[in-house]
Amino acid sequence: MRKAYLRTFASAATLGLALAAPAMAQDESAPAEEEAGMLDEIVVTASGRDQTKIESSISVTSVSAQMIQDFQPSSEAEVFKLLPGIQVPGTSGPGGNSNIAVRGLPVATGGAPFVQLQEDGLPVVLFGDIQFGNNDYFTKFDPTVANVEAVRGGSATTFASQAPGAVINYISNYGREEGGYVELKKGIDYNETQLNFRYGGSLTDSMNFHVGGFFKKGRGPLDAGYNTSESLQVKANLTKEFDDGKGYFRLLFKYADTQEPNYTGAPALARISGGKVTSVGPWPGFDGRKDTNYSKYNQSFLIYNRDGNLERVDMDGITTKQKSIGGQFHYEFSDNFTVDNNFRWSDISGGFASPFLGVATRASVLGSTVNGRTVAAIRYASGPNAGQLYTGQYVDNNVNVKTNIRDLGSLVNDLTLAGKFDTGFAELTARVGYFYMDQDIAMDWHVNKSLRELSGNSPSQLDLYDSATLTGVANKITQEGISGYNNNWGSCCARDYDLSYTNTAPYMQLVLDNDDFNLDGSVRFERVKAAGYTIGGGSEFNINSNGVLIPTMTANGAREILDYSRSYTSWTVGGLWKVSPDLSLFGRTSKGGRFNSDRQTVSGKFNADGSLCTRAQATALACTDGVTPSVDFVTQHEIGVKNRGSIGGGRYSVEFTLLKGDFKRSDFEPTTTGICPGGGCVIDNSFKTKGAEFFATLNFGDFNFIANATYTKAKQKFTSTRNGTQVAGSANFGRALGIPDLSYSLTGSYDFADIATLGVTAVGQSGTFDGTLEYPGKTVFNTNLKVRPMENLELGLNVYNLFNTYDARGNGVGVFQTGTPAGITGTPVIGQTFTGSLRFSF
């Protein structure tokens, strides 16, 4: 199987290089059309904003809003499947919480540690892997987005903080062209309705505006029996062009109130032989393509809150509340000097409430000791079978978790001054900038020990009883299926914290550019100041929950004070040879750092005065070295080619990059995972990767084709410790976990005489490895049909997962049933769904 994928990738690369050959013989004065991969577009993300893509010695790709809409991604992160270099399962659902890797830089404990998501050039949250606050919670694709641009490596290292892997920038429509639309989208075979809208244009000769957003409500493709989606987002901007044509001032506004589910997995049947998983399919009664462990019988649950009371909270997935206002200023003082300033203030809060999935046998629960008593019976706690004995073979024994995101607000500003000078043989551009961002992180966690039936049809919570309850209900052990409040992951995770991180970064760049080449180098001097406190859980105590004593933890345990700072330097150097107007070759090397923020807390890495424990102190005081892993560094080397031209009466573009990288990373993992049995591990990782990125476009009149592929050989070695004892690890490099060797997307569309457009997208990847088993790769096909029966009116039909493929994308979390077939868990791609749309443009 792997050889077949390699042959496919090699063929694609060979085609790209073959396409490049004709351009060598072209006349240098031949025009370069924009549709050829949009290589004439100015790069606006993590760059100096004055070079086109074909003349930039960085790996940068844009995808249009229309392409994303036609793809109909099932999650925010699945948008990134359309971008080379970004490796993400994309199965976590519309709420977010995805693991976003880049260029073979794996995700050790969750989130997007090396990838920054931006809106109009600024991060929405500073760190991509905030615990229960990943960056894909807060950035949602909507009708106001004109295109999504991604820079991998290179200048992402020095023009952005905390982004040595990549910057992905959602660029707004600024109303330069008048027009808009209203669109109604409706699930045909599922319950969901969404209203999209946007409009923009001129207010005066020198002022433009744009406003848009969406309203969404419904149960979604995975029907829980109640509305799990209920979201509103509106964004607007107003641009004033200066009369002299030398600049502009822009105001940007955003309001969002979102509620979307986070899919946490499903059981599946599979065959396992020789360490390979094959024939993955749905579990009887729980088909992860259309079922979920969200349930109408578990729409709310009790937690023990930070005020010391039992509180009923909604099982409402990932929720966000956002208000932001920003300003952009650009002015050219002369032909030589320019100033740019980008500012945003954000007020962000929200929450995370989800039933995690875990599988255990009913037999393992019966006879076990829970809360000091022996379990003799399991009964339905809710639903039509409430009170009856539960006789299923398996139970779902993972947590009901509620995290209150009290504050993720921020203030960010990025100022850049640029000067251009003619040296006689080349133009020299010098830039200096200063970045400032203050990021608050205040949360409290509530992770309840929970038990429910293993079912995809509104599973009921399950209550436990001791032997005295076979004839009565006097000695119930649990309440509403909960056997513990806040104590599922031990004292680490009944936590409460209020932290702030202030990131300041002066940076500078020099660019030497002429008709034949450009050379550039840039450096960024980061300083991050951490302050605040964290409080872990204390000793257990019992709470009377409607007559049942439930063991409980609260954040009254060990307190950490944070009062430290780290300074580090990131840099990049690159060069590009302009072989012709349609062909360029580039090379680049970079080293960038990312600050390890809240994932360092509650792990024994801090001294009593708030400073980080050093290696010397770790030996003398039995604390854990916090200085060494507080900044993770990534080194990358890349060479590439960019080419466009004509072929057979059509236009094409090709971008191909070879890359190599290595990095180290350390995190504290509070939960139980395969590399952290029992939870509470410090995970130290070393990684190295090499591979290639490929992006190509082809246009023949009414036919358009876009292909991207990422090939990596990612390797890792890691050690995990709990209470100073190694519990897992390897002294040698082995295959990296969760990273496919090959991932790709292919998109084709054909326009039938401006009356109808038919499009097909294929998204797939090769197999992945979880440390023990190799999971198969699959390809999922999506189609879209747009019909325009009259001017300004468009009818649409999107089919996601056309062939209803069961594609778990390798994100399984272990085997719970041996034999043939075996039982495994994972989060598959949503199954075949039909969505209709009606759009009126004006």
Side-chain angles (χ1 to χ4, degrees):
M1 178 67 72
R2 187 178 302 171
K3 290 181 179 179
Y5 279 113
L6 290 175
R7 286 195 297 268
T8 301
F9 182 79
S11 298
T14 302
L15 171 62
L17 293 177
L19 288 172
M24 297 293 289
Q26 289 181 357
D27 181 38
E28 291 189 1
S29 63
E33 297 177 11
E34 288 188 357
E35 64 263 29
M38 297 182 291
L39 291 177
D40 265 344
E41 282 191 348
I42 299 294
V43 181
V44 300
T45 301
S47 69
R49 295 175 175 245
D50 64 351
Q51 288 183 321
T52 63
K53 292 179 182 178
I54 199 167
E55 294 186 341
S56 298
S57 58
I58 55 176
S59 297
V60 54
T61 305
S62 294
V63 292
S64 68
Q66 189 60 60
M67 181 179 175
I68 296 170
Q69 290 168 1
D70 292 343
F71 175 42
Q72 193 183 326
S74 64
S75 67
E76 198 61 36
E78 200 176 25
V79 171
F80 310 146
K81 284 282 189 179
L82 303 175
L83 297 167
I86 309 299
Q87 297 153 313
V88 57
T91 57
S92 294
N97 205 42
S98 295
N99 294 336
I100 305 172
V102 56
R103 291 184 158 186
L105 307 182
V107 178
T109 56
F114 300 100
V115 178
Q116 183 183 101
L117 300 188
Q118 294 185 346
E119 292 181 3
D120 295 300
L122 290 177
V124 179
V125 292
L126 180 60
F127 307 107
D129 62 341
I130 296 171
Q131 296 174 101
F132 291 109
N134 294 350
N135 51 16
D136 64 339
Y137 291 18
F138 308 103
T139 297
K140 304 294 185 187
F141 175 80
D142 72 7
T144 67
V145 176
N147 62 292
V148 176
E149 187 171 82
V151 173
R152 287 92 60 196
S155 57
T157 301
T158 53
F159 276 84
S161 291
Q162 318 310 327
V167 172
I168 301 175
N169 187 17
Y170 287 55
I171 302 169
S172 294
N173 189 317
Y174 301 128
R176 294 188 179 97
E177 296 182 3
E178 185 160 356
Y181 66 80
V182 176
E183 178 185 52
L184 180 66
K185 294 179 64 177
K186 182 76 175 176
I188 296 175
D189 59 344
Y190 64 100
N191 181 292
E192 186 173 278
T193 302
Q194 181 167 333
L195 179 68
N196 297 319
F197 68 98
R198 76 168 188 86
Y199 182 68
S202 299
L203 290 175
T204 69
D205 290 343
S206 62
M207 188 173 293
N208 301 327
F209 78 97
H210 192 270
V211 61
F214 66 87
F215 305 89
K216 180 182 178 185
K217 190 169 185 176
R219 299 181 176 187
L222 307 189
D223 189 352
Y226 67 102
N227 287 341
T228 52
S229 293
E230 192 164 349
S231 297
L232 158 68
Q233 179 166 296
V234 178
K235 293 165 63 181
N237 58 73
L238 182 67
T239 304
K240 168 63 178 177
E241 303 280 352
F242 299 138
D243 292 339
D244 54 11
K246 292 187 175 182
Y248 60 85
F249 176 68
R250 177 178 295 132
L251 290 173
L252 302 104
F253 308 90
K254 177 182 179 181
Y255 176 82
D257 187 344
T258 67
Q259 173 194 321
E260 299 292 343
N262 162 241
Y263 301 138
T264 57
L269 294 174
R271 293 181 178 273
I272 301 176
S273 177
K276 292 191 174 183
V277 178
T278 60
S279 304
V280 182
W283 182 263
F286 199 152
D287 185 343
R289 295 171 298 183
K290 62 182 181 65
D291 294 332
T292 175
N293 60 348
Y294 282 85
S295 170
K296 61 186 177 184
Y297 305 127
N298 191 26
Q299 295 183 52
S300 66
F301 60 103
L302 291 172
I303 64 168
Y304 188 77
N305 66 24
R306 67 194 302 260
D307 296 321
N309 301 308
L310 288 176
E311 176 187 356
R312 186 165 294 278
V313 296
D314 291 332
M315 186 70 79
D316 51 8
I318 295 175
T319 57
T320 75
K321 294 184 182 297
Q322 302 177 64
K323 292 177 287 187
S324 71
I325 182 170
Q328 295 179 347
F329 175 76
H330 170 80
Y331 194 74
E332 300 170 11
F333 289 101
S334 68
D335 292 339
N336 301 101
F337 292 98
T338 304
V339 61
D340 286 276
N341 194 71
N342 202 356
F343 163 87
R344 184 193 295 129
W345 168 86
S346 298
D347 181 3
I348 300 177
S349 60
F352 181 103
S354 184
F356 284 14
L357 179 79
V359 182
T361 63
R362 177 176 59 89
S364 69
V365 177
L366 292 172
S368 67
T369 300
V370 176
N371 298 342
R373 292 148 67 183
T374 302
V375 177
I378 305 174
R379 297 179 182 272
Y380 290 94
S382 56
N385 298 319
Q388 297 181 28
L389 286 173
Y390 176 71
T391 59
Q393 183 179 0
Y394 292 99
V395 296
D396 180 348
N397 65 343
N398 215 329
V399 300
N400 275 358
V401 58
K402 170 66 175 180
T403 298
N404 291 313
I405 305 174
R406 301 194 305 272
D407 185 9
L408 274 182
S410 63
L411 180 68
V412 56
N413 193 84
D414 196 359
L415 171 67
T416 306
L417 302 173
K420 294 184 178 181
F421 311 93
D422 189 354
T423 65
F425 72 97
E427 182 179 71
L428 175 66
T429 301
R431 289 185 181 86
V432 294
Y434 185 80
F435 174 85
Y436 170 90
M437 187 166 184
D438 188 87
Q439 175 70 66
D440 295 326
I441 306 177
M443 299 191 196
D444 49 277
W445 295 8
H446 309 275
V447 285
N448 292 351
K449 290 184 177 180
S450 179
L451 194 73
R452 67 186 66 88
E453 64 177 318
L454 187 67
S455 170
N457 182 23
S458 285
S460 169
Q461 293 287 107
L462 299 174
D463 272 328
L464 305 179
Y465 296 79
D466 67 16
S467 58
T469 67
L470 295 178
T471 57
V473 294
N475 292 322
K476 191 163 62 166
I477 302 173
T478 62
Q479 184 60 263
E480 298 182 2
I482 303 299
S483 58
Y485 294 124
N486 304 342
N487 64 347
N488 188 80
W489 294 326
S491 61
C492 82
C493 301
R495 67 173 72 176
D496 190 313
Y497 50 100
D498 193 337
L499 307 170
S500 70
Y501 295 89
T502 302
N503 191 160
T504 56
Y507 57 94
M508 60 188 68
Q509 180 194 43
L510 291 176
V511 182
L512 197 63
D513 183 87
N514 67 15
D515 292 337
D516 297 319
F517 68 88
N518 69 56
L519 300 173
D520 78 271
S522 53
V523 62
R524 189 178 187 92
F525 303 99
E526 301 277 7
R527 180 177 175 84
V528 184
K529 171 70 174 177
Y533 69 86
T534 64
I535 308 173
S539 300
E540 282 190 345
F541 56 93
N542 287 331
I543 286 293
N544 188 320
S545 180
N546 197 25
V548 180
L549 295 179
I550 303 296
T552 303
M553 280 187 179
T554 192
N556 62 358
R559 176 184 288 263
E560 290 178 335
I561 302 296
L562 275 66
D563 184 14
Y564 69 97
S565 61
R566 283 299 311 273
S567 298
Y568 54 98
T569 302
S570 301
W571 57 266
T572 183
V573 176
L576 178 136
W577 176 29
K578 304 173 187 178
V579 181
S580 78
D582 294 328
L583 175 65
S584 60
L585 306 175
F586 74 92
R588 179 167 293 276
T589 186
S590 311
K591 182 175 182 180
R594 56 87 60 181
F595 183 84
N596 199 339
S597 59
D598 64 313
R599 289 183 182 266
Q600 286 244 87
T601 60
V602 195
S603 56
K605 296 182 178 181
F606 300 94
N607 295 311
D609 63 358
S611 63
L612 285 169
C613 176
T614 66
R615 280 186 173 179
Q617 289 172 326
T619 302
L621 304 178
C623 57
T624 301
D625 176 16
V627 174
T628 303
S630 61
V631 178
D632 301 317
F633 289 98
V634 177
T635 301
Q636 297 181 80
H637 313 282
E638 54 193 300
I639 56 174
V641 57
K642 303 178 184 183
N643 177 230
R644 64 189 171 193
S646 301
I647 180 171
R651 296 285 296 169
Y652 72 87
S653 72
V654 174
E655 301 167 62
F656 182 75
T657 305
L658 294 173
L659 55 95
K660 181 180 180 182
D662 63 79
F663 76 105
K664 294 183 178 180
R665 183 172 180 208
S666 178
D667 279 307
F668 178 71
E669 173 55 62
T671 65
T672 299
T673 67
I675 59 174
C676 185
C681 297
V682 175
I683 303 173
D684 294 308
N685 311 269
S686 296
F687 296 92
K688 58 184 180 181
T689 180
K690 57 184 177 181
E693 296 170 349
F694 177 78
F695 186 82
T697 68
L698 184 63
N699 172 261
F700 281 103
D702 293 325
F703 175 73
N704 288 281
F705 180 74
I706 300 175
N708 95 74
T710 303
Y711 173 74
T712 56
K713 294 295 292 184
K715 297 184 178 182
Q716 72 177 38
K717 63 179 180 179
F718 63 85
T719 61
S720 302
T721 59
R722 179 172 179 160
N723 299 325
T725 303
Q726 182 170 321
V727 296
S730 172
N732 301 312
F733 279 96
R735 185 176 176 184
L737 308 187
I739 297 292
D741 288 348
L742 177 66
S743 56
Y744 53 89
S745 69
L746 308 171
T747 300
S749 66
Y750 189 83
D751 188 43
F752 296 89
D754 292 328
I755 297 174
T757 301
L758 176 66
V760 179
T761 300
V763 178
Q765 65 180 44
S766 62
T768 57
F769 184 60
D770 71 356
T772 304
L773 298 173
E774 181 176 351
Y775 294 81
K778 297 284 185 69
T779 302
V780 172
F781 291 86
N782 307 325
T783 63
N784 64 85
L785 174 65
K786 292 176 288 185
V787 179
R788 295 171 286 276
M790 61 182 65
E791 187 177 3
N792 298 333
L793 184 65
E794 180 181 279
L795 305 177
L797 174 66
N798 280 72
V799 185
Y800 183 85
N801 197 352
L802 178 64
F803 302 112
N804 204 30
T805 303
Y806 199 102
D807 182 7
R809 288 189 178 161
N811 53 357
V813 290
V815 178
F816 65 84
Q817 172 181 284
T818 58
T820 304
I824 65 172
T825 57
T827 308
V829 171
I830 289 173
Q832 183 187 76
T833 57
F834 294 82
T835 304
S837 63
L838 176 64
R839 177 185 292 194
F840 180 75
S841 301
F842 46 86

